[in-house]
Amino acid sequence: MARPSNVIVRRVPIPFSLWNRFPNILTVLRKQQWRGTVSKAHGSLATKVIPSVKRGRVFRTISTLDPEKLRSTDFVDLSEYRVPTITMGSIGACELRYAYRSDIVPFPPNTRGFLYYHTYRNLPPTCGEIRFRLTVDSNPGNFADGTDLIGCDAIPWSISSLTLSLSSYANARKQLEDDRLISKSLSNNMDTLRGTFKVTKSYPREMYYLEQPFMFDMNWALARFKLVTATEVRPMQLQKLFVDQREGGKLGRLLLRFERSRLPDDVGTNTAVLRVLKILDPIKLSIPGYDAHIPLPEAGSLLLKQKYSRTLVCSWDLDDGRDHVASALKILPSACDSQRTTFIPKLLKSADFINLSRS
């Protein structure tokens, strides 16, 4: 069977149990790098081809990840590439991925700009991350006027310090050390922190401060987070935020953030609530004729929940050591007062979250 000239075929892992049944077919499958599955009933090969744009090999070499030392030669184009390779000077290469949703998601069109190391003002160095700054051209002078690449989860695409401790990103971490953006002791500390939390793939989202925005899909029954501080990495799970036990749920994506409660009933307490910053997708009801027993989320409002036939604000008493979410959130610093070097409880406006996430 001839392969069409305008398509490529991708490999997927083949179950070990099939090798003993179809060794000849699967050997050819591996050699030709075809993507397919083998029918258990007939042993026939089903092949799926995926359209692709034919491209030659692209060599991308950058000299630094320090935004203050960028050159025009550090400008790279990752548009529509699935796994682009970046060479870190004379150190070695590193592969990048935009996202993974049952398969690798390619970088969006017009992903052109500079890779750089981002740090949060007044947060521990363990909260640093590599980001991609979109710019109009290769002039480093336009870096400040650019915007960060946004990921599939509606927040800036990044490679966190915790992820950089993986062996596959060893060359990127060495580049950061050569740029004096991280120290050897910090690098060793990240290895230690990662060693204490080994299930990072099951907890893909990182949180560094209480008011940090995050995307939540209303169809999720469970969302997992890694809460990262200077001394520990703690897991946290949010469950069934949008489940109406009488009728069903809702479909849509929201941008949320935790914040200190200023409700009258919470005065003098250490209580966190969830605010809806933005509705990313139009909300759809999974069951027609839903009576909105739990009010639909609105941008700028606090998130509500149903409990004992009552509609209440979603809240967590951070001093309640029995609650998993509350005890996890308590380790995070709150929003930073620009006039101080320590974090203090402070309510942010919805428009402020973007400014807070920048250096």
Side-chain angles (χ1 to χ4, degrees):
M1 179 179 177
R3 182 187 302 182
S5 60
N6 66 331
V7 300
I8 59 172
V9 194
R10 298 199 293 264
R11 293 172 54 180
V12 294
I14 299 173
F16 180 77
S17 60
L18 296 180
W19 280 98
N20 292 332
R21 299 185 62 183
F22 312 102
N24 295 332
I25 293 178
L26 295 180
T27 300
V28 173
L29 177 65
R30 276 291 173 86
K31 288 183 178 180
Q32 295 183 352
Q33 297 187 2
W34 284 73
R35 180 181 183 179
T37 58
V38 178
S39 168
K40 292 185 178 181
H42 306 289
S44 60
L45 183 65
T47 304
K48 179 180 180 180
V49 294
I50 298 129
S52 174
V53 179
K54 186 175 181 181
R55 304 189 190 189
R57 187 176 181 183
V58 177
F59 296 90
R60 309 174 187 85
T61 302
I62 62 175
S63 62
T64 182
L65 291 168
D66 188 340
E68 303 295 331
K69 300 178 181 178
L70 292 172
R71 307 172 183 173
S72 60
T73 53
D74 295 319
F75 182 86
V76 294
D77 185 352
L78 308 182
S79 304
E80 300 182 35
Y81 280 91
R82 288 162 44 84
V83 189
T85 300
I86 304 292
T87 301
M88 306 288 174
S90 60
I91 297 174
C94 177
E95 292 183 344
L96 304 180
R97 288 171 174 79
Y98 179 65
Y100 192 91
R101 300 287 186 274
S102 74
D103 200 355
I104 299 174
V105 179
F107 282 86
N110 301 317
T111 304
R112 303 182 184 92
F114 299 90
L115 286 162
Y116 77 102
Y117 191 64
H118 170 91
T119 56
Y120 292 86
R121 184 182 58 223
N122 298 331
L123 277 180
T126 51
C127 302
E129 56 195 17
I130 292 177
R131 291 189 179 184
F132 192 92
R133 178 60 60 90
L134 301 171
T135 58
V136 294
D137 54 33
S138 61
N139 182 4
N142 294 324
F143 180 88
D145 297 326
T147 59
D148 287 337
L149 173 67
I150 301 299
C152 291
D153 52 1
I155 60 176
W157 174 89
S158 66
I159 306 174
S160 69
S161 294
L162 206 61
T163 303
L164 288 170
S165 62
L166 291 170
S167 58
S168 55
Y169 291 102
N171 291 330
R173 185 166 61 169
K174 182 64 168 61
Q175 181 66 53
L176 291 173
E177 292 177 5
D178 288 356
D179 288 335
R180 299 181 182 276
L181 294 172
I182 65 173
S183 63
K184 185 65 177 178
S185 60
L186 173 60
S187 184
N188 294 336
N189 185 30
M190 296 309 301
D191 289 338
T192 302
L193 288 178
R194 187 175 181 84
T196 62
F197 192 82
K198 298 182 181 298
V199 289
T200 53
K201 288 186 177 180
S202 300
Y203 291 78
R205 304 162 194 87
E206 278 131 355
M207 291 186 67
Y208 305 127
Y209 56 95
L210 183 65
E211 293 83 359
Q212 183 171 340
F214 61 91
M215 187 273 289
F216 194 94
D217 192 319
M218 299 175 70
N219 196 39
W220 289 345
L222 177 69
R224 296 184 174 99
F225 301 84
K226 298 187 294 286
L227 278 55
V228 183
T229 69
T231 57
E232 67 175 309
V233 180
R234 185 175 296 189
M236 184 186 74
Q237 299 181 358
L238 286 179
Q239 302 183 44
K240 301 180 180 179
L241 287 182
F242 299 96
V243 175
D244 185 335
Q245 298 177 355
R246 303 172 310 126
E247 300 188 45
K250 312 172 185 68
L251 303 177
R253 297 186 310 149
L254 307 175
L255 192 65
L256 306 176
R257 72 146 187 253
F258 289 98
E259 62 184 43
R260 303 282 182 174
S261 175
R262 288 193 172 183
L263 296 173
D265 292 342
D266 296 329
V267 173
T269 67
N270 191 15
T271 302
V273 292
L274 266 177
R275 186 172 297 278
V276 181
L277 294 177
K278 187 176 182 180
I279 297 177
L280 301 173
D281 300 324
I283 298 175
K284 299 179 181 179
L285 302 178
S286 58
I287 295 180
Y290 179 64
D291 63 358
H293 178 67
I294 298 179
L296 296 179
E298 296 182 2
S301 65
L302 296 179
L303 199 63
L304 304 177
K305 67 179 180 179
Q306 178 194 22
K307 186 175 183 180
Y308 305 127
S309 301
R310 294 188 301 164
T311 301
L312 306 172
V313 173
C314 289
S315 63
W316 291 264
D317 180 0
L318 302 190
D319 294 328
D320 183 0
R322 299 168 299 176
D323 186 278
H324 161 75
V325 174
S327 59
L329 290 175
K330 189 174 182 178
I331 72 171
L332 292 178
S334 186
C336 182
D337 185 342
S338 60
Q339 303 300 320
R340 300 189 181 183
T341 58
T342 57
F343 280 78
I344 62 172
K346 177 184 175 184
L347 182 66
L348 298 180
K349 297 179 181 178
S350 298
D352 289 340
F353 76 94
I354 295 178
N355 296 329
L356 181 63
S357 66
R358 292 187 178 181
S359 297

